Amino acid sequence: MYTQQVGLCKQIVREHYGPIVETVVAVLLREGRLHLGQLARRTKLTGPNIRRALAVLIQHGIATHAMSKDGSRMFTYYSVSLKSILRLQRAGLYLALVEERMGSEGLAIFRTIMVNGLTTIGSVREALGVAEMGNAAKIKFNSVVAKLVRDRYIIAVNPQDTITKVDRIMQEEAVEVEKLTIPPTAKELLAIRRKIIEREEEEYQSSNVVGIKRRASVDISADHSSKLHMGADGRTNGFNNYDSGDQNGYSHLNNGHQQQQQVDAVDDKQFFRAYYDRLDVFLRNQQIVNYFTDKYNAGAGALVKSILRVTEQHTRTCRVKLSETVSATQVFQHISAEAPLIDSIDTSKDMFHQKFDANGNPIVDTSSGTELSREKRSEIIFALLEVIHTDSSGIVIKVDERGTGQYRVNFERAAITLRDRCVDALVHEKFGSVHARLLRVLRDKKKLDEKVVAQATMLPIDSCRTRLHDLALAGMIDTVEIPRSADRNPSRMFYLWYVNADKQMRSAMRFVYQGMSNIIERNTKEVSARALLIAKTKREDVILDPGLLTDGERKELQNLARIKQRLTVANVRLDSMLLVIYDIDPLSADHQLLQ
């Protein structure tokens, strides 16, 4: 835990939930898990205020609780998750992702659940006013909710899920130990813990999703269905324009031709929450697609995107290090028809793909400039797969030569590659291109003496030494001592420069945390400096007659909107860097497993 990280979490909580909740979170971050009595003594707040603050934090999945015995009494201890707090800054990315994949209807439902925390589908239905709409809108709402649950954008929540994960695992472990007649050995205890983790994974992969139930429904023809539209505010009226001309829902169908089919339905009384681990997987996949798009072209990016789309249904969190196996045929079947494959790779001179007629002349493809034949399309896809799996990053690997080939995505290598690119950009922005070149040379060549570094980077030795010390002070590189003699005299030692990945990641995270904290502080200062003007815009007479604002006040409001937009863009950029540097790394995700 870093000082910058704690300070950022306090600012985020204050911005979202207010000063009282911030006080409780600050004490829990500083002191660790505490019970109500200890919180009251350290925060100087009243009992009701502390309980309300904890209720808000538990409602939004930030705080967890656990019963523990202290002496002869049982206490309920509370703790908070740093990762859950930091994810509040990623809300915009999550909403944009859901809108892209699930449409405006899925966005309205997901945003309602995100804003309210743990909530039932019945409450979401009431908040969106679905009960006042036609039958067709209700059917569409049910289908969108079922898809959100089935694809794990939202997951069911049980009372046990609000218990701290470490204590929950310990309780399950104790239940398994009680089944044994004798105390378990270390090997048996390890097997029990592995069994608990495997059980959780089996429950996730099961086709019987918690909260989903099957029921018969009338099959409505696609010709009679209409599209849902988001309202202007996008919050409570995402479904109110659906099929307004048909109040009975099924009056236009012939009852004699109605067909019964089994459809998924969600229990209205079951509580759900947004599943951010799953959304982080989608964001990670998008970063991988962007990497191949930037390095090669849009066609290569579309190809990698199709590979990830095939495998992502089995990828629960970023802890997964290898994807499922995908064949080239599956990639060909799932790649989008609009994928820009034309001119993405030249296969005309490829001896393995070039075809000849009976006279030995090469056959020229007669496809139009905007459309590809099925045969030409397959040639380009197979050629792109060969290029991508031989990429130096090692992200896409070929595991089998049978048929058209079997491929997997190495997420561990992807995390390292994306992190290196992000750190290079950070160093380039902070120090310049020469420092970034030094860092890349050390990463490629491992441990080097400063003279060798100067030769590799074509820099004078004095200038190279100065820049190496700049990077070392920033925590981007480190030194290792190799003694020439047993006395380890500093004057008789070799000092080699190298990249310490763990230290580099911690330093980069501190830069990002400090940057995000500065952005929030600047945003607060800009708003507070114009507090009187903002209060004036909220007056009823000004709302009814905007002409009461002077030209100078309007310009000041436009300037404030411009500044806030720039700060928001900078904050999203830094949060994307944090996602790449830490959140998507399978190794760092393993450390967060018990949080």
Side-chain angles (χ1 to χ4, degrees):
M1 187 185 301
Y2 311 105
T3 304
Q4 296 89 344
Q5 189 181 27
V6 174
L8 175 61
C9 288
K10 290 163 62 177
Q11 288 178 317
I12 293 173
V13 172
R14 184 181 184 88
E15 184 180 15
H16 284 79
Y17 304 114
I20 295 178
V21 180
E22 179 204 1
T23 304
V24 175
V25 168
V27 172
L28 289 174
L29 289 175
R30 185 177 64 250
E31 304 288 341
R33 51 192 288 167
L34 300 171
H35 58 72
L36 276 176
Q38 294 170 329
L39 278 172
R41 287 193 296 270
R42 286 168 171 79
T43 59
K44 309 300 182 183
L45 298 174
T46 61
N49 282 340
I50 295 176
R51 291 188 180 91
R52 294 188 188 102
L54 290 172
V56 170
L57 293 172
I58 293 174
Q59 175 76 13
H60 289 271
I62 295 174
T64 53
H65 62 87
M67 296 287 292
S68 181
K69 193 172 185 180
D70 188 1
S72 59
R73 298 179 60 187
M74 292 291 293
F75 290 96
T76 301
Y77 286 85
Y78 300 90
S79 59
V80 294
S81 170
L82 280 169
K83 189 173 183 180
S84 298
I85 297 175
L86 293 172
R87 275 174 168 166
L88 294 173
Q89 292 293 94
R90 206 171 292 163
L93 292 177
Y94 290 146
L95 293 174
L97 178 67
V98 172
E99 184 177 18
E100 177 188 354
R101 289 171 169 254
M102 303 297 296
S104 57
E105 304 86 3
L107 174 63
I109 298 170
F110 185 85
R111 178 159 44 191
T112 304
I113 296 175
M114 177 184 281
V115 170
N116 293 281
L118 307 181
T119 185
T120 62
I121 297 302
S123 300
V124 176
R125 193 188 303 273
E126 181 179 353
L128 295 177
V130 178
E132 302 174 359
M133 303 174 194
N135 288 339
K138 296 177 183 178
I139 294 173
K140 182 64 176 179
F141 174 85
N142 292 335
S143 65
V144 173
V145 170
K147 184 170 177 57
L148 286 170
V149 177
R150 193 169 52 249
D151 294 344
R152 266 80 171 191
Y153 289 84
I154 58 177
I155 59 172
V157 179
N158 298 316
Q160 295 81 6
D161 294 329
T162 59
I163 301 175
T164 307
K165 193 163 188 177
V166 175
D167 295 271
R168 188 167 69 248
I169 292 176
M170 290 173 61
Q171 291 175 6
E172 295 179 6
E173 184 179 320
V175 172
E176 296 293 335
V177 169
E178 287 180 359
K179 298 178 181 178
L180 303 177
T181 55
I182 58 175
T185 62
K187 186 176 181 180
E188 291 174 338
L189 198 58
L190 182 63
I192 290 174
R193 292 170 181 169
R194 188 179 293 113
K195 179 181 177 182
I196 293 172
I197 296 176
E198 290 176 354
R199 183 192 309 156
E200 182 182 357
E201 186 67 23
E202 288 176 0
E203 291 176 357
Y204 176 80
Q205 299 294 349
S206 174
S207 58
N208 298 322
V209 183
V210 177
I212 290 284
K213 55 186 179 181
R214 308 283 290 180
R215 71 181 183 188
S217 177
V218 176
D219 184 17
I220 302 179
S221 172
D223 296 335
H224 298 281
S225 62
S226 303
K227 179 177 172 56
L228 289 158
H229 299 282
M230 290 282 291
D233 58 357
R235 292 179 182 271
T236 60
N237 57 352
F239 299 86
N240 57 358
N241 293 325
Y242 187 88
D243 204 6
S244 57
D246 183 12
Q247 300 298 325
N248 296 323
Y250 300 118
S251 60
H252 58 283
L253 294 176
N254 186 348
N255 292 333
H257 292 85
Q258 291 179 0
Q259 299 177 359
Q260 293 291 326
Q261 65 174 0
Q262 291 291 325
V263 297
D264 291 336
V266 179
D267 186 0
D268 277 5
K269 297 181 180 180
Q270 174 67 52
F271 282 86
F272 288 88
R273 67 173 175 85
Y275 191 30
Y276 297 120
D277 286 342
R278 177 73 167 160
L279 297 177
D280 282 344
V281 171
F282 298 149
L283 292 177
R284 186 266 313 275
N285 292 351
Q286 185 59 48
Q287 292 288 342
I288 297 174
V289 172
N290 292 341
Y291 167 77
F292 281 97
T293 301
D294 295 340
K295 186 170 184 178
Y296 294 103
N297 50 47
L303 190 70
V304 174
K305 183 177 181 179
S306 66
I307 296 175
L308 294 170
R309 282 292 180 96
V310 174
T311 62
E312 68 185 12
Q313 68 182 65
H314 301 290
T315 308
R316 177 179 181 182
T317 67
C318 292
R319 293 196 304 270
V320 178
K321 298 180 181 180
L322 283 174
S323 71
E324 296 291 322
T325 303
V326 180
S327 67
T329 304
Q330 288 178 295
V331 176
F332 177 78
Q333 293 172 348
H334 287 83
I335 194 168
S336 173
E338 291 78 20
L341 296 179
I342 298 179
D343 298 331
S344 59
I345 190 170
D346 184 13
T347 60
S348 60
K349 297 181 181 179
D350 191 340
M351 61 179 296
F352 297 105
H353 295 94
Q354 181 65 61
K355 295 186 181 299
F356 300 89
D357 57 18
N359 298 324
N361 299 318
I363 299 176
V364 180
D365 188 89
T366 58
S367 302
S368 66
T370 58
E371 295 183 0
L372 290 174
S373 64
R374 182 180 179 86
E375 185 177 0
K376 182 65 175 178
R377 187 179 179 86
S378 64
E379 286 182 7
I380 293 176
I381 290 175
F382 295 150
L384 279 175
L385 282 172
E386 289 297 318
V387 172
I388 290 173
H389 97 267
T390 56
D391 184 74
S392 59
S393 64
I395 296 177
V396 178
I397 54 179
K398 193 171 186 178
V399 295
D400 200 339
E401 298 287 348
R402 290 180 300 178
T404 54
Q406 303 285 328
Y407 300 87
R408 302 181 78 171
V409 179
N410 188 332
F411 292 124
E412 191 170 4
R413 284 295 310 162
I416 294 173
T417 302
L418 295 175
R419 184 187 65 199
D420 290 344
R421 288 186 73 209
C422 187
V423 172
D424 288 346
L426 192 64
V427 171
H428 186 279
E429 184 176 350
K430 189 174 180 63
F431 298 104
S433 59
V434 178
H435 290 75
R437 187 166 80 245
L438 283 170
L439 184 62
R440 287 194 296 270
V441 168
L442 288 174
R443 185 185 299 123
D444 294 338
K445 304 297 183 181
K446 309 303 178 185
K447 297 180 175 66
L448 295 177
D449 179 72
E450 63 180 19
K451 295 180 181 179
V452 180
V453 176
Q455 293 174 357
T457 56
M458 295 180 291
L459 290 174
I461 185 67
D462 294 338
S463 177
C464 180
R465 184 182 299 116
T466 302
R467 287 176 168 83
L468 287 172
H469 282 286
D470 290 341
L471 292 174
L473 289 175
M476 294 298 164
I477 60 176
D478 207 347
T479 57
V480 60
E481 301 174 350
I482 301 178
R484 296 183 183 181
S485 58
D487 60 355
R488 302 184 68 87
N489 191 323
S491 63
R492 292 192 298 273
M493 279 192 181
F494 292 109
Y495 293 92
L496 302 182
W497 296 94
Y498 75 105
V499 175
N500 187 334
D502 292 337
K503 184 177 180 180
Q504 185 185 78
M505 184 183 70
R506 291 194 295 268
S507 299
M509 288 171 62
R510 280 195 291 268
F511 287 140
V512 173
Y513 290 141
Q514 188 61 53
M516 295 175 71
S517 181
N518 292 342
I519 289 173
I520 294 176
E521 187 176 349
R522 173 66 185 276
N523 185 67
T524 303
K525 184 177 179 180
E526 293 290 343
V527 172
S528 61
R530 301 168 177 82
L532 294 178
L533 178 58
I534 295 174
K536 181 179 178 179
T537 59
K538 295 180 180 179
R539 285 172 16 197
E540 292 184 2
D541 57 337
V542 177
I543 294 175
L544 294 175
D545 185 11
L548 296 176
L549 293 173
T550 65
D551 293 339
E553 289 174 337
R554 291 194 188 93
K555 290 181 180 178
E556 193 65 24
L557 288 173
Q558 293 174 357
N559 186 38
L560 176 61
R562 203 160 39 242
I563 292 173
K564 293 183 69 173
Q565 182 181 12
R566 292 176 180 173
L567 292 175
T568 301
V569 171
N571 196 34
V572 170
R573 177 172 172 265
L574 286 175
D575 187 73
S576 299
M577 294 177 68
L578 180 62
L579 173 77
V580 169
I581 292 172
Y582 189 65
D583 288 346
I584 69 173
D585 189 350
L587 298 179
S588 62
D590 285 335
H591 298 323
Q592 303 170 52
L593 178 59
L594 299 179
Q595 288 189 3

